[in-house]
Amino acid sequence: MSGSSTVKLPPRLYDIATLLARSRSLPVSELAAALGRREQDVMRDLAELEARGFIKVIKREVRVAEVSESGRRYLELGLPEERLIQELLKAGRLSFRDLKELGMAEDEVNAAVGILRRYGAVEVGRDGITLRSEGVEAFREYVGRVKARLREYLSPRKLGDAEIDRELRRRGLISTREVKDMRVEATETLLSVASSLVRGEVVTVVTPEVISLGSWDSVEFKPFDLSVELPRLRLARKHFFVDVIDYMREVMVSLGFEEVKGPHVELELWNFDVLFVPQYHPSRRPTDVYRLKGGSPVEAVSRVLVNEVKRYHEAFAGYTWDQEKALRLVLRTHCTAVSVRTLFERGEGEYRVFTIDRVFRPDTPDPTHLMEFHQLDGIMVGRSVSFKDLLQFFREFARALGLGEVRFKPAYFPFTEPSVEGYVKHPKLGWVEVLPGGMFRRQVLEPLGLHGYNVAAWGIGVDRIAMILLDIDDIRNLYSDDVREVEVRRPPRVVLGARGLG
């Protein structure tokens, strides 16, 4: 530096530094506008000021949402379930033929029936649906909440994280997009030298012109520290998320389970129908499942199994089961399909198996959701297996992973009864549901050929447990391909301890 009492900066850096010294913090968009420049034109200058320790650049992604085209249409015409209840209030009962003549698409009708059934406002029979007046009031409150929240998204706004927001997103009533938000803050270093900043020219390369013209005496030379060591290349190492998955696999084997595998591309038969998920269930809507176009079954399907599944669906769920729908191809939405395949292949007996692999669901990426994630599914089969065994397994699994206290609450799943959800505590996100499970219903087991046997089943959220173990509060960071992040982030202490490295 040319003087001990001044800090000389090139003109562009000087303008940014003095502006931030006054404002302390600014969005990059406002900073660029104040300087009369484009955002992309100031990024290199910001990087240099950050390298000098004068500023801190804070980057984050904000997801904003607004009403989709279908959402606007439903606000104008009424939600499908709202229109359906109006018809039921007039007629009291509608046949399946009547439902087809309502002027709504098949998936709209299926979703509407599923929601009405969820609130106990209808009863589904063999030939149609019947109004249940005791559930109408709760259903109307639900419609009121959905439409009120939907109106709030008529103008783009930050996506909320309440259950109602997630439902609007699942149903495609709102569309979302990620907006990058970047702010710049002045550091204490900048504030301490703000009064000493001067505008000047900083030379990084000594040219013949600088020497011959004598300008070297009036410019600032950028210092070079030749004593700085070059960064050392680190040896390759396993990704931290893979470490966690491998350790979970070790825990399951140590508890006496055998690992099994299954296909990623699955028949709806195995993904839904064998699990006694009705073909009108909301979880089978196009917005919740990745279906393969033009695909056809690539394996022979047992005619006995198909007939049994059909018989149980029509007898216990009260609708006409469609084999064509059951044979459509999807990307599996859970690994429970692997569990029921194993039950069909092995039949009756005493055994424990698990699978840990990827599943796929249409979703909008946010800190707790991705379109592709991992599940650890498993089953315990035996005549004496009980719900108590399932709860004890959850406790042992959580203890092996160092997850601390597990809290249980009753739950509902179409294919298990009783059902439970187990919660463990994330240091930042609070209590997170990661241990869902239950006892397979007879409507699942008997078509598979299991009579007199009990099966405890579960589908554990691997990614969410990994977030807890790795102290990560954004699920997207689990899949980081940043080599620096992989080098710095160590495996969880429980993994290191198990391998004698802690």
Coordinates of all heavy atoms in Angstrom, one line a residue, residues 263-268 270-273 275 277 281-291 329-338 357-362 370-375 377 415 459-460:
P263 N -37.1 -54.3 -8.5 CA -37.0 -53.4 -9.7 C -37.4 -52.0 -9.3 O -38.3 -51.8 -8.5 CB -37.9 -54.0 -10.7 CG -38.9 -54.7 -10.0 CD -38.3 -55.3 -8.7
H264 N -36.8 -51.0 -10.0 CA -37.2 -49.6 -9.9 C -38.5 -49.3 -10.7 O -39.3 -48.6 -10.3 CB -36.1 -48.7 -10.3 CG -34.9 -48.7 -9.4 ND1 -33.7 -48.1 -9.8 CD2 -34.7 -49.1 -8.1 CE1 -32.8 -48.3 -8.8 NE2 -33.4 -48.9 -7.8
V265 N -38.5 -50.0 -11.9 CA -39.8 -49.9 -12.7 C -40.7 -51.0 -12.3 O -40.3 -52.2 -12.4 CB -39.4 -50.0 -14.2 CG1 -40.7 -49.9 -15.0 CG2 -38.5 -48.8 -14.6
E266 N -41.8 -50.7 -11.8 CA -42.7 -51.6 -11.1 C -44.1 -51.6 -11.7 O -44.6 -50.6 -12.3 CB -42.8 -51.3 -9.6 CG -43.5 -52.3 -8.8 CD -42.8 -53.7 -8.8 OE1 -43.2 -54.4 -9.8 OE2 -42.0 -54.0 -8.0
L267 N -44.8 -52.7 -11.6 CA -46.2 -52.8 -12.0 C -47.0 -52.1 -10.9 O -46.7 -52.3 -9.7 CB -46.7 -54.3 -12.1 CG -46.1 -55.1 -13.3 CD1 -46.5 -56.5 -13.1 CD2 -46.6 -54.5 -14.6
E268 N -48.1 -51.4 -11.3 CA -49.0 -50.9 -10.2 C -49.6 -52.0 -9.4 O -49.9 -51.8 -8.2 CB -50.1 -50.1 -10.9 CG -49.7 -48.8 -11.5 CD -50.8 -47.8 -11.7 OE1 -51.8 -47.8 -10.9 OE2 -50.8 -47.1 -12.7
W270 N -48.0 -54.5 -8.0 CA -47.1 -54.7 -6.8 C -47.0 -53.4 -6.0 O -46.9 -53.5 -4.8 CB -45.7 -55.2 -7.2 CG -45.7 -56.5 -7.8 CD1 -45.5 -56.8 -9.1 CD2 -45.9 -57.8 -7.2 NE1 -45.5 -58.2 -9.3 CE2 -45.8 -58.8 -8.1 CE3 -46.2 -58.1 -5.8 CZ2 -46.0 -60.1 -7.8 CZ3 -46.4 -59.5 -5.5 CH2 -46.2 -60.4 -6.5
N271 N -47.0 -52.3 -6.7 CA -46.8 -51.0 -6.0 C -48.1 -50.6 -5.2 O -47.9 -49.9 -4.2 CB -46.4 -49.9 -7.0 CG -45.8 -48.7 -6.4 OD1 -44.6 -48.7 -6.1 ND2 -46.5 -47.6 -6.1
F272 N -49.2 -50.9 -5.7 CA -50.5 -50.5 -5.1 C -51.5 -51.6 -4.8 O -51.9 -51.8 -3.6 CB -51.2 -49.4 -6.0 CG -50.4 -48.2 -6.1 CD1 -50.0 -47.7 -7.3 CD2 -50.2 -47.3 -5.0 CE1 -49.3 -46.5 -7.5 CE2 -49.5 -46.1 -5.2 CZ -49.1 -45.7 -6.4
D273 N -51.9 -52.4 -5.8 CA -53.0 -53.3 -5.7 C -52.8 -54.4 -4.7 O -53.7 -54.7 -3.9 CB -53.4 -53.8 -7.1 CG -53.8 -52.7 -8.0 OD1 -55.0 -52.4 -8.0 OD2 -53.0 -52.2 -8.8
L275 N -51.0 -54.2 -2.2 CA -51.0 -53.6 -0.9 C -52.4 -53.0 -0.5 O -52.5 -52.3 0.4 CB -50.0 -52.4 -0.9 CG -48.6 -52.9 -0.8 CD1 -47.6 -51.8 -1.2 CD2 -48.2 -53.5 0.5
V277 N -54.3 -50.9 -1.9 CA -54.6 -49.5 -2.1 C -55.6 -49.4 -3.3 O -55.3 -49.7 -4.4 CB -53.3 -48.7 -2.5 CG1 -53.5 -47.3 -2.8 CG2 -52.2 -48.9 -1.4
H281 N -57.7 -44.4 -5.1 CA -57.0 -43.7 -4.0 C -56.2 -42.5 -4.5 O -55.5 -42.6 -5.5 CB -56.1 -44.7 -3.3 CG -55.6 -44.2 -1.9 ND1 -54.5 -43.4 -1.7 CD2 -56.1 -44.4 -0.7 CE1 -54.4 -43.2 -0.4 NE2 -55.3 -43.8 0.2
P282 N -56.2 -41.4 -3.7 CA -55.4 -40.2 -4.2 C -54.0 -40.4 -4.4 O -53.4 -39.7 -5.3 CB -55.6 -39.2 -3.0 CG -56.9 -39.6 -2.4 CD -57.0 -41.1 -2.5
S283 N -53.4 -41.4 -3.8 CA -51.9 -41.6 -4.0 C -51.6 -42.2 -5.3 O -50.4 -42.2 -5.7 CB -51.4 -42.6 -2.9 OG -52.0 -43.9 -3.0
R284 N -52.6 -42.6 -6.1 CA -52.4 -43.1 -7.4 C -52.7 -42.1 -8.5 O -52.7 -42.4 -9.7 CB -53.3 -44.4 -7.6 CG -53.0 -45.4 -6.6 CD -53.9 -46.7 -6.8 NE -53.5 -47.4 -7.9 CZ -53.8 -48.7 -8.1 NH1 -54.4 -49.4 -7.1 NH2 -53.4 -49.4 -9.2
R285 N -52.9 -40.8 -8.2 CA -53.1 -39.8 -9.2 C -51.9 -39.5 -10.0 O -50.8 -39.7 -9.5 CB -53.6 -38.5 -8.5 CG -54.9 -38.6 -7.8 CD -55.2 -37.3 -7.1 NE -54.2 -37.0 -6.1 CZ -54.3 -36.1 -5.1 NH1 -55.4 -35.4 -5.0 NH2 -53.3 -35.8 -4.3
P286 N -52.1 -39.1 -11.2 CA -50.9 -38.8 -12.1 C -49.9 -37.8 -11.4 O -48.7 -37.8 -11.7 CB -51.5 -38.2 -13.3 CG -52.9 -38.7 -13.4 CD -53.3 -38.9 -11.9
T287 N -50.5 -36.9 -10.5 CA -49.6 -35.9 -9.9 C -48.7 -36.5 -8.8 O -47.8 -35.9 -8.3 CB -50.4 -34.8 -9.3 OG1 -51.4 -35.3 -8.4 CG2 -51.1 -34.0 -10.4
D288 N -49.0 -37.8 -8.4 CA -48.3 -38.4 -7.3 C -47.5 -39.6 -7.7 O -46.8 -40.3 -6.9 CB -49.3 -38.9 -6.2 CG -49.9 -37.7 -5.5 OD1 -49.2 -36.7 -5.3 OD2 -51.1 -37.8 -5.2
V289 N -47.5 -40.0 -9.0 CA -46.8 -41.2 -9.5 C -46.2 -40.9 -10.9 O -46.8 -40.2 -11.7 CB -47.8 -42.4 -9.7 CG1 -47.1 -43.6 -10.1 CG2 -48.6 -42.6 -8.4
Y290 N -45.0 -41.4 -11.1 CA -44.4 -41.3 -12.4 C -44.8 -42.6 -13.2 O -44.4 -43.7 -12.9 CB -42.9 -41.3 -12.3 CG -42.3 -40.0 -11.8 CD1 -41.6 -39.9 -10.6 CD2 -42.4 -38.9 -12.6 CE1 -41.0 -38.7 -10.2 CE2 -41.9 -37.7 -12.2 CZ -41.2 -37.6 -11.0 OH -40.7 -36.4 -10.6
R291 N -45.6 -42.4 -14.2 CA -46.1 -43.5 -15.0 C -45.3 -43.6 -16.3 O -44.9 -42.5 -16.9 CB -47.6 -43.4 -15.4 CG -48.5 -43.8 -14.2 CD -49.9 -44.1 -14.7 NE -50.7 -44.5 -13.5 CZ -51.4 -43.7 -12.7 NH1 -51.4 -42.4 -12.9 NH2 -52.0 -44.2 -11.7
L329 N -47.1 -49.6 -15.9 CA -45.8 -49.5 -15.3 C -45.6 -48.2 -14.7 O -46.0 -47.1 -15.2 CB -44.7 -49.7 -16.4 CG -44.6 -51.1 -17.0 CD1 -43.7 -51.2 -18.2 CD2 -44.2 -52.2 -15.9
V330 N -45.0 -48.1 -13.5 CA -44.6 -46.9 -12.8 C -43.2 -47.0 -12.3 O -42.6 -48.1 -12.2 CB -45.6 -46.7 -11.6 CG1 -47.0 -46.5 -12.1 CG2 -45.5 -47.8 -10.6
L331 N -42.7 -45.8 -11.9 CA -41.5 -45.8 -11.1 C -42.0 -46.0 -9.6 O -42.9 -45.3 -9.2 CB -40.7 -44.5 -11.2 CG -40.0 -44.3 -12.5 CD1 -39.3 -42.9 -12.5 CD2 -39.0 -45.4 -12.8
R332 N -41.4 -47.0 -9.0 CA -42.0 -47.4 -7.7 C -42.0 -46.2 -6.7 O -41.0 -45.4 -6.7 CB -41.3 -48.5 -7.0 CG -39.8 -48.2 -6.7 CD -39.1 -49.4 -6.1 NE -37.7 -49.1 -5.7 CZ -36.8 -50.0 -5.5 NH1 -37.1 -51.3 -5.6 NH2 -35.6 -49.7 -5.2
T333 N -43.1 -46.0 -6.0 CA -43.2 -44.9 -5.0 C -42.7 -45.3 -3.6 O -42.6 -44.4 -2.7 CB -44.6 -44.4 -5.0 OG1 -45.5 -45.5 -4.5 CG2 -45.1 -43.9 -6.3
H334 N -42.5 -46.6 -3.4 CA -42.0 -47.1 -2.1 C -41.3 -48.4 -2.3 O -41.6 -49.1 -3.3 CB -43.1 -47.1 -1.0 CG -44.3 -47.8 -1.5 ND1 -45.6 -47.5 -1.0 CD2 -44.5 -48.7 -2.4 CE1 -46.5 -48.2 -1.6 NE2 -45.9 -49.0 -2.4
C335 N -40.5 -48.8 -1.3 CA -39.9 -50.1 -1.4 C -40.7 -51.3 -0.8 O -40.3 -52.4 -0.8 CB -38.5 -50.1 -0.7 SG -37.2 -49.2 -1.6
T336 N -41.9 -50.9 -0.4 CA -42.8 -52.0 0.2 C -43.2 -52.9 -0.9 O -43.6 -54.1 -0.7 CB -44.1 -51.3 0.8 OG1 -43.7 -50.2 1.6 CG2 -44.8 -52.3 1.6
A337 N -43.1 -52.5 -2.2 CA -43.4 -53.4 -3.3 C -42.4 -54.6 -3.3 O -42.7 -55.7 -3.6 CB -43.2 -52.7 -4.6
V338 N -41.2 -54.3 -2.8 CA -40.2 -55.4 -2.7 C -40.6 -56.4 -1.6 O -40.4 -57.6 -1.7 CB -38.8 -54.8 -2.4 CG1 -37.7 -55.9 -2.3 CG2 -38.4 -53.8 -3.5
D357 N -33.1 -48.8 -0.8 CA -32.9 -48.4 -2.2 C -33.7 -47.1 -2.5 O -34.4 -46.6 -1.6 CB -33.4 -49.5 -3.1 CG -32.6 -49.6 -4.4 OD1 -32.1 -48.5 -4.8 OD2 -32.5 -50.6 -5.0
R358 N -33.7 -46.7 -3.7 CA -34.3 -45.5 -4.2 C -35.8 -45.7 -4.5 O -36.2 -46.7 -5.0 CB -33.6 -44.9 -5.4 CG -32.2 -44.4 -5.1 CD -31.5 -43.9 -6.4 NE -31.3 -45.0 -7.3 CZ -31.0 -44.9 -8.6 NH1 -30.9 -43.7 -9.1 NH2 -30.7 -45.9 -9.4
V359 N -36.6 -44.6 -4.3 CA -38.0 -44.5 -4.7 C -38.2 -43.2 -5.3 O -37.4 -42.3 -5.2 CB -38.9 -44.8 -3.5 CG1 -38.7 -46.1 -2.9 CG2 -38.7 -43.7 -2.4
F360 N -39.3 -43.1 -6.0 CA -39.6 -41.9 -6.9 C -41.0 -41.4 -6.7 O -41.9 -42.1 -6.8 CB -39.3 -42.2 -8.3 CG -38.0 -43.0 -8.6 CD1 -38.0 -44.4 -8.5 CD2 -36.8 -42.3 -8.8 CE1 -36.8 -45.1 -8.7 CE2 -35.6 -43.0 -9.0 CZ -35.6 -44.4 -8.9
R361 N -41.1 -40.1 -6.5 CA -42.4 -39.4 -6.4 C -42.4 -38.0 -6.9 O -41.4 -37.3 -6.6 CB -42.9 -39.4 -4.9 CG -43.2 -40.7 -4.3 CD -43.6 -40.6 -2.9 NE -43.6 -41.9 -2.2 CZ -43.8 -42.0 -0.9 NH1 -44.0 -41.0 -0.1 NH2 -43.7 -43.2 -0.3
P362 N -43.3 -37.6 -7.8 CA -43.4 -36.2 -8.2 C -43.5 -35.3 -7.1 O -44.4 -35.4 -6.3 CB -44.6 -36.2 -9.1 CG -44.9 -37.6 -9.5 CD -44.5 -38.4 -8.3
L370 N -37.7 -34.3 -2.0 CA -37.1 -34.5 -3.3 C -37.9 -35.4 -4.2 O -38.8 -36.2 -3.7 CB -35.7 -35.1 -3.2 CG -34.6 -34.1 -2.7 CD1 -33.3 -34.9 -2.6 CD2 -34.4 -33.0 -3.7
M371 N -37.7 -35.4 -5.5 CA -38.4 -36.3 -6.4 C -37.8 -37.7 -6.3 O -38.5 -38.7 -6.8 CB -38.3 -35.8 -7.8 CG -39.0 -34.5 -8.0 SD -38.8 -33.7 -9.6 CE -37.1 -33.2 -9.5
E372 N -36.6 -37.9 -5.8 CA -36.0 -39.2 -5.7 C -35.3 -39.2 -4.3 O -34.6 -38.3 -3.9 CB -34.9 -39.4 -6.8 CG -34.1 -40.6 -6.7 CD -33.0 -40.7 -7.7 OE1 -33.3 -40.2 -8.9 OE2 -32.0 -41.3 -7.4
F373 N -35.6 -40.3 -3.6 CA -35.1 -40.4 -2.2 C -34.9 -41.9 -1.9 O -35.2 -42.7 -2.7 CB -35.9 -39.6 -1.2 CG -37.4 -40.0 -1.2 CD1 -37.9 -40.9 -0.3 CD2 -38.3 -39.5 -2.1 CE1 -39.2 -41.2 -0.3 CE2 -39.6 -39.8 -2.1 CZ -40.1 -40.7 -1.2
H374 N -34.5 -42.2 -0.7 CA -34.2 -43.5 -0.2 C -35.2 -44.0 0.9 O -35.5 -43.2 1.7 CB -32.8 -43.7 0.2 CG -31.8 -43.6 -0.8 ND1 -31.5 -42.3 -1.4 CD2 -31.0 -44.5 -1.5 CE1 -30.5 -42.6 -2.4 NE2 -30.2 -43.8 -2.4
Q375 N -35.5 -45.3 0.8 CA -36.3 -45.9 1.9 C -35.7 -47.2 2.3 O -35.0 -47.8 1.5 CB -37.8 -46.2 1.4 CG -38.7 -45.0 1.5 CD -40.1 -45.4 1.3 OE1 -40.4 -46.5 0.8 NE2 -41.0 -44.5 1.6
D377 N -37.1 -50.4 3.7 CA -38.3 -51.2 4.0 C -37.9 -52.6 4.5 O -36.9 -53.1 4.1 CB -39.2 -51.4 2.7 CG -40.1 -50.2 2.5 OD1 -39.6 -49.1 2.3 OD2 -41.3 -50.4 2.5
F415 N -52.7 -50.3 3.9 CA -52.3 -51.7 3.9 C -51.9 -52.3 5.3 O -51.5 -53.4 5.4 CB -51.2 -52.0 2.9 CG -50.1 -50.9 2.9 CD1 -49.0 -50.9 3.7 CD2 -50.3 -49.8 2.0 CE1 -48.1 -49.9 3.6 CE2 -49.3 -48.8 1.9 CZ -48.2 -48.8 2.7
G459 N -41.5 -48.7 6.4 CA -40.8 -48.0 5.3 C -40.1 -46.8 5.9 O -40.7 -45.7 6.0
I460 N -38.9 -46.9 6.3 CA -38.1 -45.9 7.0 C -37.6 -44.9 6.1 O -37.0 -45.2 5.0 CB -37.0 -46.6 7.9 CG1 -37.6 -47.5 9.0 CG2 -36.1 -45.5 8.5 CD1 -36.6 -48.3 9.7

